[in-house]
Amino acid sequence: MGVQVDLPFFINASAIAVMIVGLFMVLGLRSKIRGGSVGNAWKILTGLVVLFTLGYLATPFFGLLPADSVRSVFALIFLFGAIYVVVTVRLVHRIIDELA
């Protein structure tokens, strides 16, 4: 009999840890980013990172929810993930424009 490894648990715990590190990084950079379009985009990204971190922290409890609720939560995660990507790409464009 070997030791039973719960791979999804370790992946989830790692994802939570990485999100918490990312949250602290985002919050630490807030004071270094001025206002304007870059600052506004950073505020949106900060809010999304906070939202994702809360979502990641909630994932261990998804097993307690009905299946339809879990599907709705995952649909919201995909939606906000897509918004995050669009805001990030627009932010990179703004930064490049300001540096040019």
Side-chain angles (χ1 to χ4, degrees):
M1 272 188 137
V3 175
Q4 190 75 4
V5 176
D6 187 359
L7 185 60
F9 170 80
F10 288 110
I11 293 171
N12 195 27
S14 299
I16 290 169
V18 170
M19 279 304 296
I20 290 171
V21 169
L23 177 61
F24 280 106
M25 292 171 68
V26 165
L27 293 174
L29 284 173
R30 279 180 36 182
S31 63
K32 296 179 181 180
I33 297 174
R34 299 182 188 118
S37 62
V38 172
N40 290 335
W42 196 258
K43 287 178 187 175
I44 294 169
L45 289 177
T46 300
L48 288 168
V49 171
V50 168
L51 181 67
F52 283 124
T53 303
L54 292 173
Y56 277 49
L57 289 170
T59 56
F61 305 103
F62 281 4
L64 304 174
L65 297 173
D68 285 342
S69 296
V70 173
R71 288 181 53 217
S72 295
V73 169
F74 277 108
L76 286 170
I77 289 170
F78 285 131
L79 172 62
F80 287 115
I83 292 169
Y84 183 88
V85 168
V86 170
V87 172
T88 301
V89 171
R90 289 183 69 201
L91 175 61
V92 170
H93 279 276
R94 288 178 185 148
I95 291 169
I96 291 170
D97 289 344
E98 286 191 18
L99 292 175

